[in-house]
C-alpha cells in the first residue's frame, strides 16, 4: 500500500516535471521575437538614435492624433449602436445586432483603398455623379479629405466592431432592475445611457478601447497608403531607407511598450469586469421606438453598416464584375487551398500549445511560468514585419551556432510561415482560454484530485468539457487574422506561394485596385462566413 | 511526430525540381509572370517566384546565406540594386552578351538594368501654356513663381529619393538643400497617394504640375482604371524636363545574380532572355516602362507622350544608391512628409 502511494507520488512529481518542462519550452519559444527585439535594440548606436530624436515627436504627434480621434469615433459608433440594438426595438434592430459585427471582415487598409478610390479625382464617386446626375465637373462635389482624415475614418469604420461587440455583451448582462430603477427615477433615455448603462459597462468599454488602441498604434497598411508619418511608418523608413534594422528594432520596442500600456489597461479592466457583471434577470427588456426616433435609430445603424461593410464590399463586387479579365490571372482553387491549409495547421498548432500552456499554468501554479506566459502575448503587439525578421535571425543564429541546417526547414517554407503566424496570433488563443479558465473555480480541481483524478484525467474529464465550446470561436478569430495577414506572408512564404492578401497587395502595388478587388472580395467573403457561422459565440465570450 | 514529418516532406517536395531558376522580385506585375512562363516554355527551365518588399527580401537572402535557394534578385530602383551589391548579395556578371546589350550607365559589374523609367512633369494645357514652360528643368521647380503648384508623392517614395539623389550628384548638397526648401514651399497640397493621384490632381485643375513616372499616365490612358480616368488622362500633357542640359531623370529596374545561386547557368540564361527583343517588347507593352535595349520601341501609349526626348545619360545610376539616405534626410529636413 505504502509502496503504491510512493509510486503514485513519484509519478505525480515526474509528470509535473515533464509538464513543467513542456510549458516552459512553449513559453520560452513564444517570446523569441520579444527577445530578438530587445537584443537588437541593445546593440543599436544610441548617439545616432538620439540625434534623430526630434523626428520622434513629429511622428509620435501624428500617431497620437490618429489614436485620439479613432478612440472617440469608435466609441460613438460602437457604444451607441450597441446601446440602440440592445435596449430598443426598432425596424432592423435584430438584424443590425449581428450585421454590425461584419465590419470585422474588412481590413483597415482595404477600407482605405476603397474610400480613396471612391473619393479621388475622376474616381468611382466622380463617375457615379457624372453618369447619374450629368454633372460636368463632379470632382468639386466630392470632399477633399486630408490624409490624416482618411486614416482616421478608415481605422474607425473597421475597428468600432470591438466596442460594439464588447459593449453589447456587457449590456446584455446588465440588470433589468437597475434599468427599471433609473426609469422610475425619471431618467431620460440619454441620461440613462450616460449615468447607468455606460458606467456599468465601463470595464468592457475599456477592454474595447484598449483593443482599438493597440490595433491603431500597430497599423501600417493604412497610414503608409495615405502617406501619414507615424510610429509604424518610421519603423519602416528607418529600415527601408536608412538601412538601420537595429534602430528599427529599438523603435519597435518603444511601440511595444506603448501598446503594452493598453494591454495592461485591458487586463485590469477584464479583471474588474468580474465585479461589474450583474446577472441578467430579464432577456426581453427592450423599449419600442416609434416614429421619428425609430427612424433615427434605424438610420444611424444603417449608415454605420452601409459605410463600414456594404460600401467597401459592393465596390469590390462592382470592380470584379467590371473587370472580369482579372479572374483569369488568379488560380482561385490554389489560393483557397493555400488559405485553408494555412488556417488549419496554424490554428491546430496554436490551440494545442495554448491549451497546454494554460493547463500547465493552472496546475503547476509556477510564478516563472506565469510571468513568461504574460510576456508571450507580446507577439500580437509586435509589427508582423519585425516578427518575420526575428524568425529569420533566430533560425540563422541557431543553424550557424550548432552547425545544422535549420534554415532550409524554417525559412521560406510552409512550416516557417506557420511559425510566423504562431508568434503573431498565439496571444489571441492563449488569452481567450485563460479568461475561460478563470471562470472554472479552483475548488473544482481540488475536488477532482480528491476523488482520484490525475492531472490528465482532470483535463480530459473536467476542464476540456467546459472549455471545448470556446475552441471553435478561437479558431474563427485566428482564421480571420490569417486571412488578413500580410507582412509575415510576404517575407516568409515559399516560392510560388500566394494567399488572398498577398495577391491583393501585389495588385495594389501595381496600382490596380480593380484587380486587387477579386482577392479582397474573397478575403472579405470568407471572413464574413466565419463571423456569421460563429456569431452566437461572439456574445457568449463574456458570459 | 510521423504526421508532422509527412507534412514537412509534402511541402518540401513541392520545391524540388532540377531544372529551375529561383527569383526574388520586388516587381509585382502580373505580366512579368506570363513572361517567365514563356521563358519556361522556351527553355524548359521552371521559374519559381517570390515577390515582396526589397529590404525584407534582402535580409532573408543574407540570413539564409549558403542555403538560400534564390538565383536572381529583381529590384525596382537603381539605389536598391546598389544597396544589394554593397552587402555582397550579388556575384559578378561575366556574360559578355549581357554586358553588350545594356548601356554602361545602366549597369555595374554585379547587376544590369532591364527596364527604364522616366520621372517627368505633367501639366494641364487648359491652365498652363506649353510655350511658357517648355524649357523647364527640375531646378526651376523651386522658383517662387510656382507657389502652390506642385503635386508630388511622399518623401519615403524611392523614386523621389532617386530623383533628389541625382540632383545632389549633379549640383551638390548645398544647392539641393535650398532647392528642396523652395520645392516644398511650392507644393499645392500635402503629399499623398501614388503618382497617378498627382496626375489626377493636375487633370482636376487643383495643381499646376505633377511629378510622376510615365507609366502611371499610360495606365490611366489604357482604360485599365476606367473611363473617367481615361478621359482625365486626355486633359494632361507631358513635359520632359532638363532638355537644355543633362536630360530627363531616368531610373531603372534591374537584376543581379545572387552570390550563392545554385543555378547560375540558368540565371544567366534567364537574364539573357529578359534582354531579348521579344521579352523587352512584352515588358514595355504591359508595364509601359522604357526598354533598356535600343532595338525596341516603347509602347504606343508611351510613344504618344513623345519618345524623342533627351534622357539623362550622363548621371550614372550608381549615384542614386550613394545619395539616397542623404536625400531622404534632406527631404525630411525640408518638411517634405
Amino acid at each position: 500500500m505504502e509502496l503504491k502511494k510512493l509510486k503514485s507520488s513519484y509519478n505525480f512529481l515526474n509528470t509535473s516535471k515533464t509538464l513543467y518542462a513542456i510549458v516552459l519550452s512553449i513559453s520560452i519559444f513564444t517570446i523569441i521575437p520579444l527577445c530578438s527585439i530587445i537584443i537588437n535594440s541593445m546593440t543599436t548606436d544610441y548617439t545616432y538614435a538620439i540625434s534623430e530624436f526630434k523626428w520622434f515627436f513629429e511622428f509620435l504627434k501624428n500617431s497620437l492624433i490618429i489614436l485620439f480621434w479613432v478612440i472617440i469615433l469608435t466609441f460613438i459608433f460602437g457604444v451607441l449602436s450597441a446601446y440602440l440594438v440592445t435596449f430598443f426595438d426598432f425596424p432592423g434592430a435584430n438584424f443590425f445586432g449581428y450585421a454590425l459585427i461584419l465590419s470585422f471582415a474588412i481590413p483597415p487598409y482595404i477600407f482605405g483603398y476603397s474610400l480613396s478610390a471612391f473619393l479621388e479625382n475622376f474616381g468611382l464617386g466622380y463617375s457615379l455623379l457624372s453618369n447619374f446626375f450629368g454633372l460636368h465637373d463632379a470632382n468639386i462635389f466630392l470632399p477633399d479629405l486630408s490624409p490624416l482624415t482618411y486614416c482616421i475614418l478608415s481605422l474607425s469604420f473597421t475597428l468600432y466592431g470591438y466596442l460594439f461587440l464588447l459593449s453589447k455583451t456587457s449590456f446584455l448582462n446588465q440588470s433589468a432592475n437597475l434599468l427599471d430603477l433609473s426609469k422610475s427615477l425619471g431618467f431620460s433615455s440619454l441620461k440613462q445611457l450616460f449615468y447607468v448603462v455606460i458606467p456599468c459597462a465601463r470595464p468592457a468599454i475599456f477592454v474595447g478601447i484598449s483593443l482599438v488602441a493597440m490595433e491603431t498604434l500597430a497599423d501600417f497598411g493604412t497610414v503608409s497608403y495615405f502617406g501619414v508619418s507615424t510610429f509604424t511608418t518610421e519603423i519602416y523608413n528607418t529600415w527601408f531607407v536608412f538601412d538601420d534594422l537595429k534602430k528599427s528594432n529599438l523603435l519597435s520596442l518603444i511601440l511595444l511598450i506603448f501598446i503594452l500600456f493598453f494591454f495592461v489597461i485591458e487586463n485590469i479592466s477584464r479583471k474588474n469586469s468580474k465585479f461589474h457583471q450583474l446577472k441578467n434577470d430579464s432577456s426581453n427588456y427592450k423599449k419600442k421606438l416609434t416614429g421619428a426616433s425609430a427612424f433615427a435609430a434605424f438610420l444611424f445603424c444603417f449608415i454605420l453598416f452601409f459605410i463600414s461593410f456594404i460600401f467597401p464590399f459592393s465596390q469590390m463586387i462592382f470592380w470584379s464584375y467590371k473587370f472580369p479579365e482579372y479572374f483569369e490571372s488568379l488560380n482561385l482553387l490554389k489560393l483557397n487551398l493555400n488559405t485553408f491549409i494555412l488556417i488549419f495547421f496554424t490554428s491546430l498548432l496554436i490551440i494545442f500549445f495554448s491549451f497546454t500552456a494554460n493547463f500547465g499554468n493552472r496546475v503547476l501554479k509556477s510564478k516563472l511560468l506565469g510571468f513568461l506566459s504574460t510576456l508571450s502575448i507580446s507577439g500580437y503587439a509586435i509589427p508582423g514585419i519585425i516578427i518575420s525578421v526575428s524568425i529569420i535571425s533566430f533560425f540563422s543564429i541557431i543553424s550557424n551556432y550548432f552547425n545544422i541546417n535549420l534554415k532550409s526547414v524554417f525559412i521560406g517554407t510552409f512550416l516557417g510561415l506557420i511559425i510566423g503566424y504562431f508568434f503573431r496570433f498565439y496571444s489571441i488563443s492563449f488569452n481567450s482560454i485563460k479568461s475561460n479558465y478563470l471562470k472554472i473555480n479552483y475548488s473544482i480541481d481540488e475536488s477532482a484530485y480528491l476523488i482520484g483524478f490525475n492531472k490528465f484525467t482532470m483535463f480530459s474529464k473536467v476542464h476540456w468539457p467546459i472549455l471545448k465550446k470556446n475552441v471553435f470561436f478561437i479558431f474563427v478569430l485566428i482564421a480571420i487574422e490569417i486571412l488578413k495577414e500580410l507582412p509575415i506572408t510576404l517575407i516568409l512564404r515559399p516560392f510560388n506561394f500566394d494567399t488572398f492578401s498577398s495577391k491583393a497587395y501585389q495588385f495594389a502595388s501595381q496600382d490596380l485596385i480593380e484587380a486587387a478587388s477579386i482577392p479582397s472580395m474573397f478575403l472579405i467573403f470568407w471572413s464574413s462566413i466565419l463571423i456569421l457561422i460563429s456569431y452566437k459565440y461572439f456574445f457568449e465570450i463574456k458570459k | 511526430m510521423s504526421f508532422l514529418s509527412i507534412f514537412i516532406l509534402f511541402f518540401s517536395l513541392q520545391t524540388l525540381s532540377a531544372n529551375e531558376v529561383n527569383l526574388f522580385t520586388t516587381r509585382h506585375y502580373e505580366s512579368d509572370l506570363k513572361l517567365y512562363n514563356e521563358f519556361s516554355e522556351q527553355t524548359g527551365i521552371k521559374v519559381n517566384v517570390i515577390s515582396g518588399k526589397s529590404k525584407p527580401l534582402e535580409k532573408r537572402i543574407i540570413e539564409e546565406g549558403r542555403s538560400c535557394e534564390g538565383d536572381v534578385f529583381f529590384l525596382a530602383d537603381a539605389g536598391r540594386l546598389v544597396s544589394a551589391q554593397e552587402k555582397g548579395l550579388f556575384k559578378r556578371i561575366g556574360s559578355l552578351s549581357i554586358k553588350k546589350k545594356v548601356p554602361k550607365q545602366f549597369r555595374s559589374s554585379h547587376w544590369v538594368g532591364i527596364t527604364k523609367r522616366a520621372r517627368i512633369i505633367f501639366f494641364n494645357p487648359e491652365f498652363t501654356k506649353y510655350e511658357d514652360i517648355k524649357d523647364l528643368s527640375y531646378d526651376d521647380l523651386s522658383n517662387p513663381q510656382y507657389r502652390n503648384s506642385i503635386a508630388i508623392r511622399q518623401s519615403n517614395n524611392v523614386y523621389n529619393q532617386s530623383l533628389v539623389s541625382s540632383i545632389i550628384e549633379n549640383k551638390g548638397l548645398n544647392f539641393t538643400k535650398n532647392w528642396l526648401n523652395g520645392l516644398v514651399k511650392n507644393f499645392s497640397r500635402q503629399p499623398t497617394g501614388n503618382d497617378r493621384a498627382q496626375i489626377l490632381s493636375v487633370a482636376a485643375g487643383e495643381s499646376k504640375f505633377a511629378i510622376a513616372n510615365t507609366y502611371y499616365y499610360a495606365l490611366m490612358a489604357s482604360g485599365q482604371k476606367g473611363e473617367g480616368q481615361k478621359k482625365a488622362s486626355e486633359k494632361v500633357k507631358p513635359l520632359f524636363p532638363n532638355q537644355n542640359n543633362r536630360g530627363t531623370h531616368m531610373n531603372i529596374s534591374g537584376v543581379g545574380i545572387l552570390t550563392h545561386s545554385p543555378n547560375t547557368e540558368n540565371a544567366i540564361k534567364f537574364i539573357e532572355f529578359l534582354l531579348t527583343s521579344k521579352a523587352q517588347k512584352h515588358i514595355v507593352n504591359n508595364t509601359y516602362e522604357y526598354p533598356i535595349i535600343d532595338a525596341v520601341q516603347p509602347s504606343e501609349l508611351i510613344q504618344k507622350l513623345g519618345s524623342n526626348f533627351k534622357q539623362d545619360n550622363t548621371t550614372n545610376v550608381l549615384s542614386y544608391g550613394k545619395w539616397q539616405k542623404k536625400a531622404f534626410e534632406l527631404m525630411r529636413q525640408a518638411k517634405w512628409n
Side-chain angles (χ1 to χ4, degrees):
Chain A
M1 192 65 192
E2 276 299 304
L3 195 71
K4 210 174 170 188
K5 223 175 179 180
L6 234 130
K7 208 176 166 188
S8 101
S9 63
Y10 174 76
N11 275 341
F12 180 83
L13 275 174
N14 223 13
T15 50
S16 285
K17 270 186 189 164
T18 320
L19 186 65
Y20 189 91
I22 293 172
V23 177
L24 187 69
S25 318
I26 295 173
S27 305
I28 290 175
F29 185 67
T30 53
I31 57 170
I32 287 172
L34 181 67
C35 297
S36 158
I37 287 187
I38 294 173
I39 292 167
N40 270 307
S41 309
M42 285 192 316
T43 50
T44 192
D45 176 5
Y46 281 99
T47 49
Y48 177 62
I50 289 165
S51 72
E52 287 285 305
F53 216 63
K54 58 181 171 175
W55 300 116
F56 184 84
F57 290 101
E58 194 60 33
F59 49 77
L60 186 66
K61 191 181 82 191
N62 280 337
S63 286
L64 292 179
I65 292 173
I66 293 175
L67 185 64
F68 174 78
W69 284 108
V70 170
I71 288 177
I72 300 276
L73 286 180
T74 49
F75 180 83
I76 296 171
F77 295 164
V79 177
L80 192 57
S81 57
Y83 174 63
L84 289 173
V85 300
T86 319
F87 294 113
F88 299 96
D89 188 11
F90 59 91
N94 281 334
F95 168 75
F96 291 123
Y98 301 114
L100 289 174
I101 326 170
L102 285 176
S103 60
F104 270 121
I106 318 267
Y109 61 91
I110 288 185
F111 188 89
Y113 292 165
S114 53
L115 191 62
S116 81
F118 187 82
L119 293 178
E120 73 178 354
N121 288 315
F122 305 98
L124 200 59
Y126 167 89
S127 303
L128 282 177
L129 286 176
S130 33
N131 289 340
F132 288 104
F133 301 102
L135 294 174
H136 176 61
D137 189 7
N139 287 323
I140 50 169
F141 293 96
L142 293 164
D144 196 8
L145 303 180
S146 75
L148 212 58
T149 316
Y150 267 118
C151 289
I152 292 167
L153 291 178
S154 306
L155 288 162
S156 303
F157 277 108
T158 46
L159 297 178
Y160 78 89
Y162 284 115
L163 272 153
F164 174 76
L165 202 65
L166 288 155
S167 347
K168 192 184 169 199
T169 314
S170 168
F171 294 164
L172 283 170
N173 289 320
Q174 278 185 11
S175 161
N177 294 339
L178 206 61
L179 297 171
D180 282 337
L181 186 68
S182 69
K183 221 168 152 195
S184 59
L185 284 169
F187 280 24
S188 67
S189 293
L190 208 65
K191 208 171 173 189
Q192 180 191 307
L193 172 67
F194 287 108
Y195 287 92
V196 183
V197 176
I198 291 180
C200 284
R202 212 183 55 217
I205 291 173
F206 273 140
V207 173
I209 288 178
S210 315
L211 291 169
V212 168
M214 283 193 267
E215 293 271 353
T216 306
L217 284 173
D219 169 79
F220 173 74
T222 326
V223 288
S224 81
Y225 182 69
F226 290 114
V228 176
S229 303
T230 64
F231 223 110
T232 42
T233 57
E234 189 57 21
I235 291 173
Y236 274 65
N237 284 343
T238 307
W239 184 17
F240 285 28
V241 187
F242 291 123
D243 222 338
D244 191 344
L245 185 54
K246 285 183 176 171
K247 202 182 131 203
S248 191
N249 269 294
L250 176 68
L251 288 171
S252 305
L253 186 66
I254 299 172
L255 177 69
L256 186 68
I257 293 167
F258 267 95
I259 294 176
L260 283 182
F261 166 74
F262 285 100
F263 199 85
V264 171
I265 294 185
E266 194 221 319
N267 266 316
I268 295 171
S269 309
R270 273 193 201 273
K271 275 181 195 151
N272 286 347
S273 69
K274 275 192 271 179
F275 308 105
H276 283 73
Q277 292 276 314
L278 301 163
K279 196 103 187 108
N280 183 9
D281 41 18
S282 161
S283 55
N284 293 320
Y285 186 84
K286 273 193 164 190
K287 186 178 164 187
K288 197 163 174 62
L289 292 179
T290 51
S293 50
F295 182 68
F298 168 81
L299 200 65
F300 179 77
C301 293
F302 177 76
I303 291 176
L304 197 56
F305 178 59
F306 184 85
I307 297 180
S308 64
F309 187 76
I310 303 279
F311 167 72
F313 194 40
S314 58
Q315 221 168 321
M316 303 295 154
I317 295 173
F318 169 77
W319 277 324
S320 314
Y321 170 75
K322 193 134 188 249
F323 299 96
E325 63 268 27
Y326 293 124
F327 273 102
E328 284 169 29
S329 55
L330 290 173
N331 187 343
L332 284 173
L333 187 72
K334 204 175 168 195
L335 280 175
N336 278 304
L337 197 69
N338 284 352
T339 307
F340 286 118
I341 294 175
L342 274 178
I343 289 174
F344 178 75
F345 283 106
T346 312
S347 41
L348 200 71
L349 190 74
I350 291 182
I351 292 173
F352 178 73
F353 279 116
S354 49
F355 259 110
T356 314
N358 264 303
F359 173 68
N361 269 314
R362 184 174 172 101
V363 295
L364 297 171
K365 294 184 185 126
S366 149
K367 277 198 176 137
L368 175 70
L369 289 183
F371 175 69
L372 288 176
S373 316
T374 316
L375 287 183
S376 70
I377 44 85
S378 58
Y380 198 63
I382 301 173
I385 199 158
I386 300 292
I387 289 204
S388 333
V389 172
S390 54
I391 293 174
I392 293 176
S393 309
F394 174 75
F395 287 116
S396 160
I397 290 167
I398 297 285
S399 298
N400 296 342
Y401 190 80
F402 295 103
N403 209 10
I404 40 170
N405 189 3
L406 285 180
K407 290 189 236 178
S408 21
V409 184
F410 290 104
I411 303 177
T413 60
F414 191 78
L415 197 62
L417 197 53
I418 288 180
I419 290 175
Y421 291 157
F422 173 83
F423 285 135
R424 184 93 173 88
F425 305 128
Y426 175 77
S427 66
I428 298 178
S429 171
F430 182 85
N431 267 345
S432 188
I433 297 169
K434 188 178 168 187
S435 61
N436 277 288
Y437 245 132
L438 286 175
K439 286 175 204 156
I440 307 175
N441 204 308
Y442 277 101
S443 58
I444 293 181
D445 291 17
E446 280 153 23
S447 321
Y449 283 136
L450 278 178
I451 56 171
F453 280 21
N454 66 25
K455 286 192 181 68
F456 299 106
T457 46
M458 179 168 68
F459 180 77
S460 60
K461 295 205 169 123
V462 183
H463 294 168
W464 175 249
I466 304 174
L467 298 170
K468 69 178 178 194
K469 67 169 187 179
N470 206 32
V471 170
F472 182 65
F473 182 64
I474 296 170
F475 166 76
V476 168
L477 290 181
I478 297 172
I480 295 173
E481 292 287 352
I482 292 175
L483 275 165
K484 296 186 201 173
E485 208 291 324
L486 184 61
I488 297 176
T489 317
L490 279 185
I491 307 172
L492 290 177
R493 63 189 165 145
F495 282 100
N496 310 325
F497 187 91
D498 269 301
T499 62
F500 289 120
S501 63
S502 77
K503 228 30 195 175
Y505 164 80
Q506 185 185 320
F507 285 121
S509 316
Q510 235 180 295
D511 194 21
L512 283 174
I513 305 285
E514 295 79 2
S517 69
I518 299 169
S520 307
M521 191 176 69
F522 274 93
L523 191 160
I524 297 170
F525 172 76
W526 285 122
S527 304
S528 304
I529 294 282
L530 286 166
I531 290 170
L532 289 176
I533 55 175
S534 62
Y535 73 88
K536 60 178 180 186
Y537 296 98
F538 276 92
F539 297 109
E540 277 177 4
I541 43 174
K542 298 220 34 178
K543 280 185 187 170
Chain B
M1 208 57 202
S2 60
F3 171 69
L4 192 70
S5 19
I6 291 170
F7 159 71
I8 294 173
L9 195 70
F10 172 71
F11 285 101
S12 36
L13 273 178
Q14 288 198 328
T15 56
L16 286 180
S17 163
N19 204 11
E20 62 184 7
V21 61
N22 298 322
L23 173 73
F24 286 105
T25 177
T26 61
R27 283 165 63 94
H28 303 288
Y29 297 107
E30 198 63 28
S31 58
D32 279 6
L33 298 179
K34 283 184 190 150
L35 184 67
Y36 307 153
N37 283 340
E38 233 178 281
F39 170 73
S40 302
E41 276 168 28
Q42 221 176 69
T43 58
I45 300 167
K46 189 175 179 240
V47 185
N48 300 314
V49 184
I50 294 178
S51 63
K53 292 172 191 277
S54 68
K55 292 290 158 180
L57 289 180
E58 205 180 66
K59 176 79 181 165
R60 177 170 156 180
I61 295 165
I62 293 170
E63 292 293 348
E64 280 191 90
R66 283 182 190 283
S67 44
C68 179
E69 290 178 326
D71 298 300
V72 178
F73 197 11
F74 205 156
L75 287 153
D77 174 68
R80 298 209 162 131
L81 285 161
V82 172
S83 157
Q85 182 184 346
E86 280 172 354
K87 293 194 177 97
L89 259 68
F90 295 143
K91 62 168 86 170
R92 211 167 244 286
I93 297 179
S95 161
L96 276 178
S97 68
I98 291 176
K99 281 184 184 165
K100 250 193 261 166
K101 280 194 167 169
V102 181
K104 217 176 173 180
Q105 70 275 18
F106 297 126
R107 62 175 157 85
S108 81
S109 51
H110 290 71
W111 48 260
V112 289
I114 298 293
T115 64
K116 285 190 285 189
R117 288 112 178 260
R119 196 148 185 79
I120 69 164
I121 295 169
F122 288 91
F123 69 98
N124 189 332
E126 206 181 310
F127 307 107
T128 312
K129 273 194 206 150
Y130 175 69
E131 290 306 311
D132 296 345
I133 53 163
K134 68 177 194 313
D135 293 328
L136 205 71
S137 69
Y138 297 108
D139 299 357
D140 299 330
L141 292 172
S142 68
N143 290 348
Q145 71 183 99
Y146 298 125
R147 285 280 180 274
N148 300 320
S149 301
I150 298 164
I152 189 165
R153 69 201 283 183
Q154 304 151 256
S155 56
N156 65 8
N157 173 254
V158 73
Y159 306 135
N160 281 340
Q161 288 158 14
S162 285
L163 174 66
V164 176
S165 299
S166 79
I167 291 169
I168 298 178
E169 173 74 8
N170 286 293
K171 297 276 185 162
L173 280 169
N174 271 340
F175 174 89
T176 312
K177 229 181 212 174
N178 294 330
W179 178 77
L180 278 169
N181 286 332
L183 180 80
V184 173
K185 278 187 195 137
N186 289 349
F187 284 177
S188 57
R189 54 182 203 160
Q190 196 189 338
T192 183
N194 57 20
D195 281 6
R196 189 174 46 81
Q198 319 309 322
I199 302 173
L200 288 170
S201 169
V202 169
E206 291 168 359
S207 308
K208 193 173 175 136
F209 302 130
I211 300 173
N213 283 2
T214 47
Y215 50 83
Y216 283 92
Y217 166 85
L219 194 65
M220 289 163 61
S222 70
Q224 278 173 280
K225 300 295 295 179
E227 274 307 300
Q229 305 226 340
K230 193 176 175 182
K231 278 187 189 144
S233 75
E234 289 157 10
K235 289 176 187 272
V236 299
K237 289 268 175 265
L239 180 88
F240 293 92
N242 279 22
Q243 292 305 291
N244 294 333
N245 51 56
R246 63 181 185 273
T248 297
H249 171 75
M250 303 300 286
N251 202 337
I252 55 160
S253 68
V255 294
I257 300 172
L258 293 169
T259 312
H260 302 295
S261 153
N263 310 295
T264 307
E265 266 177 44
N266 289 349
I268 292 171
K269 279 184 198 158
F270 179 69
I271 298 172
E272 283 171 345
F273 169 79
L274 292 178
L275 293 168
T276 58
S277 300
K278 196 180 168 193
Q280 290 275 309
K281 256 184 214 156
H282 176 99
I283 295 175
V284 299
N285 285 331
N286 284 286
T287 66
Y288 310 115
E289 293 162 289
Y290 289 89
I292 202 100
I293 61 172
D294 294 333
V296 172
Q297 289 294 311
S299 77
E300 268 178 42
L301 286 171
I302 290 293
Q303 285 188 52
K304 267 189 205 161
L305 286 177
S307 49
N308 202 13
F309 67 96
K310 185 178 175 187
Q311 302 183 4
D312 181 358
N313 285 332
T314 50
T315 314
N316 195 314
V317 292
L318 278 160
S319 62
Y320 304 169
K322 187 168 94 190
W323 292 115
Q324 246 170 24
K325 287 180 201 172
K326 194 71 198 165
F328 186 53
E329 217 177 292
L330 295 182
M331 286 154 101
R332 295 221 294 194
Q333 274 168 15
K335 297 210 164 8
W336 181 344
N337 75 306

